[in-house]
Amino acid sequence: MEKAAKLGQLDFSIVAVYLGATVALGIYFSRRKQTSSAGYFLAGRNLTWPFIGLSLFATNISTEHFVGLAADGHRLGLVAGGWEWMASLCLIMLACVFAPQYLRHKVFTIPEFFEKRYGPAMRMSLTVYFLAMIVLTKVSMALYSGTIVIAHFTDYFTETDILWGIGILTAAYTFVGGLRAVIYTDFVQSIILIGGSVILTWIGLEKVGGWSELTRELAATGNKEMMSMVKGPDHPELPFSGYILGNFLLGGMFYWCMDQVNVQRVLGARNLHHATSGAIFAGFLKIIPVFIFVLPGIIGFVLYGEGAKDGVHQALITIGEDGKSKIAYDKTYSVLLAELLTPGLLGLVLAALLAALMSSLSSSFNSVATLVGRDIVARWQSEGKS
């Protein structure tokens, strides 16, 4: 498919209004004077559970979820959403085990917490590690995946323009307003990204003919197993045992319970009740991505991928280095947007994608500022005075 499905004037207007409103909202909440480090980095330790839960969800969901989960849904089926459901268990652990310890010690950062047990060398090492991880994985991947989708629909801006523009707009309110601006914009952005994603899933199901017709089409092509969330230990990529060992007990526990970007909103909770309730609320929200990100990938498989009656959509075909044609799974989400959404709705869903991107970036920027300010600058200043 040639790049004919461009953003119209209505779509541009919707995206522009969203961007302007987000920046304005963040700057508005930044007007409250930050008289202390807790006020800037932790929103005065006065966050309540609905804001914590929605911010945790919005911080985690970024453009790589839109692109990556749809691609894996197209390639593997609903089992690709197992990562999201395992996160619910990790968030329960955050609420029951980790949050009480963090709040009892009143720390600003996770490295500061580890210093109390393992010493200053551990704090500095962990700070450097977090900074490298945030920049090299969270920020870079979010910007890259978001740019891929947005650039698909416009010739007015290059990918570099989009990357720098979104980064600067997000930084504008994040660095001025601190965690308070991040939390309140996350609250709005989480609602937008869920709503916009539901629109695409709903229209996709209507196009297929509903849930029953979707399962019938999969069965007819011998792919009914794509609707299964659980795979046996012999599955080559996503066995259930791998989710338990790798995602829940190792990677997931670290990501949800010790990653500065995620845990920072829990550190700013008004009290333990709001910290634990916010984490559990986020756990319930993590059930949703299977249906709004992975399921569209399966719909793409039936409508435009290997399961399509009319053959694979041309936009999903790419030529590999060996000269053979391959399926470009990472384009599944872009094709769904281009083929299913009318002007106006396309702008709304792209606004949802931008909401996910900007919420992740703002959280990452705020955490970088906290780590540098508390664990590096403040530490050097205190050592200089001693």
Side-chain angles (χ1 to χ4, degrees):
M1 182 187 72
E2 62 183 48
K3 291 180 66 174
K6 304 298 182 184
L7 287 178
Q9 185 175 357
L10 178 59
D11 298 313
F12 264 120
S13 299
I14 291 172
V15 172
V17 167
Y18 162 75
L19 290 173
T22 299
V23 175
L25 181 65
I27 293 176
Y28 172 79
F29 284 111
S30 70
R31 293 169 60 191
R32 183 180 299 182
K33 291 184 178 181
Q34 313 287 355
T35 58
S36 66
S37 295
Y40 181 82
F41 294 123
L42 299 179
R45 298 188 190 271
N46 198 37
L47 298 176
T48 56
W49 69 267
F51 290 94
I52 293 172
L54 283 169
S55 183
L56 274 168
F57 179 76
T59 295
N60 168 245
I61 299 297
S62 188
T63 43
E64 66 263 25
H65 284 74
F66 288 73
V67 176
L69 288 180
D72 279 346
H74 181 166
R75 189 170 63 91
L76 300 170
L78 285 183
V79 67
W83 306 105
E84 306 304 303
W85 285 7
M86 286 292 110
S88 298
L89 300 179
C90 296
L91 283 161
I92 292 174
M93 293 297 293
L94 171 62
C96 298
V97 178
F98 291 86
Q101 295 298 318
Y102 294 150
L103 266 65
R104 183 165 66 89
H105 289 280
K106 294 186 179 299
V107 294
F108 282 77
T109 67
I110 301 304
E112 182 183 355
F113 176 81
F114 273 82
E115 181 186 31
K116 295 179 180 295
R117 175 64 178 83
Y118 298 105
M122 172 60 74
R123 179 177 182 176
M124 185 56 63
S125 299
L126 199 54
T127 297
V128 172
Y129 168 75
F130 275 135
L131 290 173
M133 182 179 67
I134 291 170
V135 173
L136 298 178
T137 62
K138 295 178 182 292
V139 174
S140 58
M141 287 303 299
L143 283 171
Y144 175 72
S145 55
T147 299
I148 288 177
V149 176
I150 297 170
H152 184 84
F153 295 96
T154 178
D155 287 330
Y156 295 106
F157 306 101
T158 66
E159 293 184 355
T160 302
D161 294 334
I162 296 170
L163 186 149
W164 279 102
I166 293 174
I168 292 172
L169 283 175
T170 307
Y173 69 83
T174 303
F175 287 132
V176 173
L179 185 60
R180 193 184 309 278
V182 172
I183 290 291
Y184 286 116
T185 52
D186 277 357
F187 185 86
V188 176
Q189 288 166 333
S190 61
I191 296 172
I192 294 174
L193 75 88
I194 292 173
S197 301
V198 167
I199 289 174
L200 180 62
T201 302
W202 184 276
I203 293 175
L205 280 175
E206 288 290 319
K207 180 72 173 180
V208 172
W211 185 272
S212 59
E213 184 64 19
L214 176 64
T215 56
R216 192 192 70 78
E217 289 286 345
L218 290 171
T221 57
N223 293 286
K224 191 174 182 179
E225 76 280 354
M226 292 184 72
M227 299 301 286
S228 173
M229 284 289 298
V230 179
K231 301 296 182 182
D234 58 339
H235 192 272
E237 294 189 57
L238 299 176
F240 184 74
S241 56
Y243 279 126
I244 296 297
L245 296 175
N247 186 223
F248 175 54
L249 295 179
L250 297 177
M253 289 285 286
F254 170 80
Y255 178 80
W256 285 106
C257 301
M258 288 180 280
D259 186 343
Q260 178 69 29
V261 176
N262 292 318
V263 176
Q264 189 156 338
R265 50 262 315 118
V266 174
L267 301 180
R270 178 177 296 175
N271 52 44
L272 183 58
H273 165 72
H274 286 285
T276 56
S277 298
I280 292 173
F281 179 37
F284 279 106
L285 292 175
K286 287 296 289 180
I287 297 173
I288 301 175
V290 171
F291 303 103
I292 62 176
F293 299 137
V294 183
L295 183 58
I298 299 177
I299 294 171
F301 171 87
V302 171
L303 292 178
Y304 311 115
E306 300 93 315
K309 296 177 181 178
D310 300 328
V312 178
H313 196 288
Q314 288 299 308
L316 291 174
I317 298 177
T318 185
I319 304 300
E321 295 181 357
D322 56 1
K324 297 181 179 179
S325 61
K326 299 179 181 180
I327 305 297
Y329 295 104
D330 61 338
K331 295 183 179 179
T332 300
Y333 196 79
S334 298
V335 169
L336 286 169
L337 294 182
E339 295 294 324
L340 297 179
L341 299 184
T342 57
L345 288 178
L346 177 58
L348 285 173
V349 176
L350 285 178
L353 185 142
L354 283 171
L357 173 57
M358 294 178 73
S359 65
S360 294
L361 288 178
S362 63
S363 298
S364 296
F365 292 161
N366 181 249
S367 293
V368 167
T370 306
L371 289 165
V372 172
R374 294 290 306 184
D375 293 335
I376 297 179
V377 176
R379 183 174 184 81
W380 283 348
Q381 288 178 344
S382 63
E383 289 180 352
K385 295 178 180 178
S386 60

